[in-house]
Amino acid sequence: MNKKALSGIVAVVLGFGVGIIFSMILGIKMDGGLTTYMPQDVLAPMLKSFTGYDITGAEAYNLRYVGEFIVASIPLILTGLSVGFAFKTGLFNIGAEGQLMMGSLAATLCGLYLDLPPIIHPLVCIIAAGIAGFLFGVIPGYLKARFNVHEVVTCIMLNYVGMYFANMIYRSLPGFSSEKTEPLKETALLKSDFLSSITNGSHLNWSILIVVVSLFAYWFIINKTTFGYQLKAIGNNKHAANYSGMKVNRGIIMSMGISGLFAGLAGAALVLGVFGYGRTLTGFEEYGYTGIAVALVGANSALGILFAGGLFSILAVAQPLLQVAGVPRDIAVIISALIIFFCAIPLLYDKYINKYLEKRQHKKAKKQNGGEV
């Protein structure tokens, strides 16, 4: 286990620990009265949100919760991959929110106006969403490479451009009403009666395949290709990479483009798998911003992002369950914020992690040398 992964685990443990202690000390009932929540009052709804098992025995085992947990984790994992890929090149993609919306728009238009066979149609929609996200990611990448404009500034502005541009297109489409477009053609959808039936009527759909392919592609590009090695080299020291003959500017542009591609796929997963129509938004849904936290907690690795996406999905899905149990749903938000906080300040516990890793390495070396170091 490397230092970054261990830091993420420590941040999660500290986040949950401090959050539960906070809820026990400062518990406030829904009716305004004072109370004290025990750890199981907070943890039981969270356990139920992703396993379907109610440890209190008040409700029978229900696989629907498992299905909804997986559905909620899909866009978070994809936006986590988006942010993590940019991090690998030393870039900060805070624009996944806008890239996701452009992917949603492209998938919606293809789903509404193309006449294709059932399997081909969703594939074309997904590819279109990926291309839209890629192109929207290339913009800040090009501005960074060509004019050294900081990507955070351009990404923040492009998030608003993406939202309002998508809203404008949706409202101009025939049949638009009640803040949504006409339903997409059935041949374009990723909804699955089979997956829904085995999870007791949840919204689980075939967009899970997008996540599987994306996770593999992320891992393969970063760890098994020369291109991925070059991106990591640029992220570590772009001046040394440039001196060694690597095309730094092209790497920056491609990194932001591929980062946007993952976010665009998240938009396709939402439109084709969950909603089945295009939606206008009055504000951000925070998928892209949560993706930053997912990438940080997951240490920018494919496996870490998978688990971190699931973690933040639990904290999101558990909120209504907490409220039903009489616990303020804001406890889940507080825990999420604490996890991000502890991820951002690793210096507070870095020395302890270093001591732990050094101790493990010392024991391993001692064992290999027959008890002598």
Side-chain angles (χ1 to χ4, degrees):
M1 183 181 295
N2 60 37
K3 183 178 176 182
K4 285 186 178 180
L6 194 54
S7 295
I9 293 172
V10 170
V12 171
V13 172
L14 288 175
F16 270 96
V18 175
I20 290 172
I21 292 171
F22 179 82
S23 66
M24 291 173 65
I25 297 173
L26 301 175
I28 300 176
K29 262 188 175 179
M30 304 295 288
D31 59 6
L34 294 177
T35 187
T36 300
Y37 300 116
M38 299 306 292
Q40 62 266 28
D41 296 329
V42 178
L43 294 176
M46 292 189 180
L47 179 67
K48 181 180 174 182
S49 70
F50 74 99
T51 66
Y53 178 70
D54 189 352
I55 60 174
T56 66
E59 186 179 342
Y61 179 70
N62 192 344
L63 268 174
R64 180 181 176 86
Y65 292 108
V66 179
E68 298 299 345
F69 156 70
I70 296 173
V71 171
S73 68
I74 288 171
L76 299 183
I77 293 171
L78 290 170
T79 54
L81 293 175
S82 172
V83 176
F85 198 91
F87 275 151
K88 286 290 187 180
T89 320
L91 300 168
F92 191 3
N93 181 21
I94 200 172
E97 197 78 30
Q99 294 151 10
L100 180 150
M101 292 177 187
M102 295 305 292
S104 297
L105 175 62
T108 298
L109 294 176
C110 290
L112 285 172
Y113 298 115
L114 293 181
D115 289 312
L116 295 169
I119 297 178
I120 302 299
H121 202 168
L123 284 176
V124 171
C125 293
I126 292 167
I127 292 171
I131 292 173
F134 178 89
L135 294 176
F136 214 60
V138 162
I139 297 172
Y142 176 79
L143 293 175
K144 171 76 173 182
R146 182 68 177 83
F147 303 106
N148 201 29
V149 179
H150 204 290
E151 68 276 9
V152 170
V153 177
T154 52
C155 282
I156 290 174
M157 292 190 294
L158 285 171
N159 282 338
Y160 288 95
V161 172
M163 181 174 69
Y164 290 116
F165 178 76
N167 287 349
M168 179 185 71
I169 298 298
Y170 288 141
R171 291 193 175 101
S172 68
L173 298 177
F176 176 84
S177 64
S178 301
E179 304 305 315
K180 63 183 182 181
T181 67
E182 291 181 334
L184 274 61
K185 294 179 179 178
E186 287 294 324
T187 54
L189 300 180
L190 292 171
K191 294 181 179 180
S192 169
D193 293 334
F194 168 71
L195 294 177
S196 179
S197 65
I198 64 175
T199 52
N200 199 23
S202 76
H203 293 92
L204 188 61
N205 58 80
W206 292 117
S207 61
I208 56 174
L209 297 179
I210 299 176
V211 172
V212 173
V213 173
S214 297
L215 284 167
F216 176 78
Y218 181 97
W219 169 82
F220 186 79
I221 292 172
I222 293 296
N223 297 298
K224 299 296 180 180
T225 66
T226 304
F227 175 64
Y229 173 80
Q230 291 176 347
L231 291 182
K232 289 187 287 185
I234 293 170
N236 290 329
N237 191 325
K238 69 176 184 180
H239 300 294
N242 185 55
Y243 181 78
S244 66
M246 297 180 187
K247 297 181 179 179
V248 173
N249 287 345
R250 188 184 71 175
I252 290 172
I253 295 171
M254 288 300 296
S255 176
M256 287 298 293
I258 295 173
S259 178
L261 184 149
F262 285 121
L265 294 179
L270 288 172
V271 169
L272 304 177
V274 178
F275 297 108
Y277 51 80
R279 306 166 299 138
T280 57
L281 300 174
T282 57
F284 300 130
E285 294 183 299
E286 309 298 332
Y287 289 117
Y289 296 121
T290 305
I292 298 171
V294 171
L296 287 172
V297 174
N300 301 327
S301 71
L303 185 61
I305 288 172
L306 172 64
F307 285 110
L311 170 66
F312 282 94
S313 173
I314 292 170
L315 293 169
V317 174
Q319 291 181 32
L321 296 178
L322 286 167
Q323 196 167 17
V324 169
V327 181
R329 61 191 299 162
D330 295 331
I331 293 297
V333 180
I334 291 170
I335 292 174
S336 299
L338 286 169
I339 292 172
I340 297 170
F341 173 76
F342 286 117
C343 274
I345 53 168
L347 291 177
L348 289 180
Y349 47 86
D350 256 7
K351 64 176 182 179
Y352 300 106
I353 291 176
N354 287 334
K355 285 182 180 179
Y356 170 75
L357 293 175
E358 287 173 4
K359 190 175 181 180
R360 278 191 61 185
Q361 193 169 4
H362 179 78
K363 285 183 177 180
K364 187 177 179 181
K366 186 175 181 181
K367 186 177 180 181
Q368 290 176 344
N369 294 328
E372 298 181 1
V373 181

